[in-house]
Amino acid sequence: MKKIIYWSVTVAVAGFLFGFDTAVISGADKPIQALWNTSSLFHGLFIMSSALWGTLLGALTGNYPCDKWGRKPTLVLVGVLFLISALGSAMAPEAYSFALLRFIGGVGVGISSIVVPAYISEIAPAKYRGRLVALYQFQIVFGILVAFVSNFLIAGTSAIDWRLMLGVEAIPALAYLLMIIKAPESPRWLVQKKNEKAKARSILVTLGEQNPDQVLNDIERDKLQNSQSKLFGGSYSKPALFAFLFAAFNQLSGINFIIYYAPRVFELAGLDVNQSLLSGAGIGVVNLCFTMLGLSLIDKFGRRSLMYIGSIGYVISLSVVAWAFSTESGGLTVVAFVFVFIAAHAIGQGTVIWVFIAEIFPNKVRSKGQSLGSGTHWFFAAAITLLMPFFLERFSATEVFTFFTLMMLGQLIFVAWFMPETKGRSLEAISLDTNNKHGAFDANR
């Protein structure tokens, strides 16, 4: 078990890079727009959301190297992309090269959101799978926190402070690359794609699996039962729908809007620049603390319970923020309930999303299913980030937050009526439910 934990933590460092890369741009947002004198639409498309469009491409195509080359080589590729992006964007001389290099880092983010949850779910025992896969999310929010704190500490230190904010990411990217080189390949990938049972068994034994032959038998049976390789077929329609809805709701909460534009939102609420940056760091602290809480609860109370808590928290916090902007009730009210919103996200969607999507697909199409869920997630993230500067000029903050509130009412309905429970069950047992004659999960198992 110690080795499983070690490799899960090591692989999840890609999540740290994901989170850092996502949040670090918030500190460079306004300085870059002022430096290159870009319009709001250009700034949203080429500066703020270029990484997200790269993430979308990585998410939609990352299943190919993940299936063809294997989980481990794909994890190495992720580290290389992050390193290139961090160094390059910090030195970019103008807007277009900056956008390209941020795009490359985004591709790394997109691929990591497929390969990391898939890899950890495939080496983790069912009893601990939720919290081990959720380590990825923990590392994401830890990276977000470090990015916000780093931005706060670097801001004002020099005329090129925004370049330093972006370039510091190269340090953890290099460390990740050095660590991941010794990681073992996924035994489930070895059986599914290479039919290398002896090597897979050896890795299972090395990882501390007490019943490697039973696990291999289950993997073989799942391989025979799920011979269809096309994701959009009758057998996989229900998990595909679940993955799409889950990922769409994640971004329709407004989470990336808050993380990318936190200083701008707080300034709209009346805070000055330094207060806004400090409040952004506060978002990172709240996110980290409640992700840790979700991590400790996901295998005990299950995925649906956390999603109930998160969905209700979303609706309450977003409603109050919309009200606060409409009545000009003050910046502290906005800050307080944005923190509540972050807490709701962290304990619900933030903890559950990568776990749930990695669990509901059979071994045969897991990376394709991850690609669907991740691609959906990042399409909505990119679209929202691109359009927000434009929308904030034409709609009030009240209208924006009211829209997010309505979307989260939709998520609450999804959780209550449709979302299945997957805790404590092997991947092969969950897969068996997806292929029963009714094509449905038993949500109570």
Side-chain angles (χ1 to χ4, degrees), residues 7 25 57 114 130 162 167 173 178 304 319 322 359 406 415 418 421 441:
W7 288 119
I25 191 65
L57 177 64
I114 296 171
W162 66 269
L178 295 175
R304 290 183 77 206
S319 298
E359 290 176 326
L406 294 174
V415 172
F418 302 106
E421 183 56 77
F441 287 89

Side-chain angles (χ1 to χ4, degrees), residues 79-234:
V80 171
L81 292 173
F82 277 125
L83 185 60
I84 292 172
S85 176
L87 293 174
S89 60
M91 298 184 289
E94 38 72 40
Y96 291 102
S97 60
F98 178 88
L100 175 61
L101 287 155
R102 286 286 296 167
F103 181 88
I104 290 171
V107 173
V109 170
I111 297 175
S112 80
S113 65
I114 296 171
V115 66
V116 175
Y119 179 89
I120 298 176
S121 71
E122 289 174 352
I123 68 169
K127 184 178 180 180
Y128 304 106
R129 188 176 60 243
R131 71 193 74 173
L132 289 176
V133 178
L135 283 172
Y136 179 58
Q137 179 65 19
F138 170 80
Q139 290 278 18
I140 291 172
V141 300
F142 183 50
I144 290 171
L145 171 61
V146 173
F148 278 135
V149 172
S150 175
N151 285 353
F152 178 71
L153 294 175
I154 293 173
T157 59
S158 75
I160 57 167
D161 55 359
W162 66 269
R163 294 186 184 275
L164 298 176
M165 292 177 185
L166 297 169
V168 75
E169 185 185 350
I171 298 172
L174 181 59
Y176 166 78
L177 267 175
L178 295 175
M179 290 189 297
I180 204 64
I181 291 173
K182 294 184 179 180
E185 184 54 87
S186 161
R188 284 179 166 85
W189 180 83
L190 287 170
V191 174
Q192 283 284 339
K193 304 297 181 181
K194 296 295 184 180
N195 202 33
E196 296 182 6
K197 300 176 190 176
K199 187 174 181 180
R201 188 185 188 282
S202 176
I203 292 174
L204 287 169
V205 171
T206 301
L207 292 173
E209 174 57 54
Q210 296 180 347
N211 299 298
D213 293 321
Q214 179 62 49
V215 173
L216 282 175
N217 289 337
D218 290 343
I219 296 171
E220 277 290 307
R221 184 170 61 251
D222 180 79
K223 182 178 179 180
L224 293 173
Q225 290 172 341
N226 295 286
S227 57
Q228 180 179 320
S229 60
K230 292 183 179 179
L231 181 62
F232 297 103

Side-chain angles (χ1 to χ4, degrees), residues 322-336:
W323 170 81
F325 274 114
S326 69
T327 59
E328 299 182 356
S329 298
L332 291 181
T333 301
V334 172
V335 171

Side-chain angles (χ1 to χ4, degrees), residues 129 188 192 218-228 234-239 356 358-366 421-422 425-437 439-442 445:
R129 188 176 60 243
R188 284 179 166 85
Q192 283 284 339
D218 290 343
I219 296 171
E220 277 290 307
R221 184 170 61 251
D222 180 79
K223 182 178 179 180
L224 293 173
Q225 290 172 341
N226 295 286
S227 57
Q228 180 179 320
S235 297
Y236 311 135
S237 59
K238 185 153 289 189
F356 183 73
E359 290 176 326
I360 58 176
F361 292 97
N363 295 324
K364 181 76 173 180
V365 294
R366 178 162 298 110
E421 183 56 77
T422 56
R425 308 181 64 202
S426 72
L427 295 176
E428 287 71 31
I430 297 169
S431 172
L432 186 62
D433 270 0
T434 69
N435 288 280
N436 68 25
K437 64 181 179 180
F441 287 89
D442 179 353
R445 290 178 61 180

Side-chain angles (χ1 to χ4, degrees), residues 1 6 42 51 83 259 291 357 369 396 420:
M1 187 62 194
Y6 173 78
F42 182 96
L83 185 60
I259 289 177
T291 296
I357 295 175
S396 68

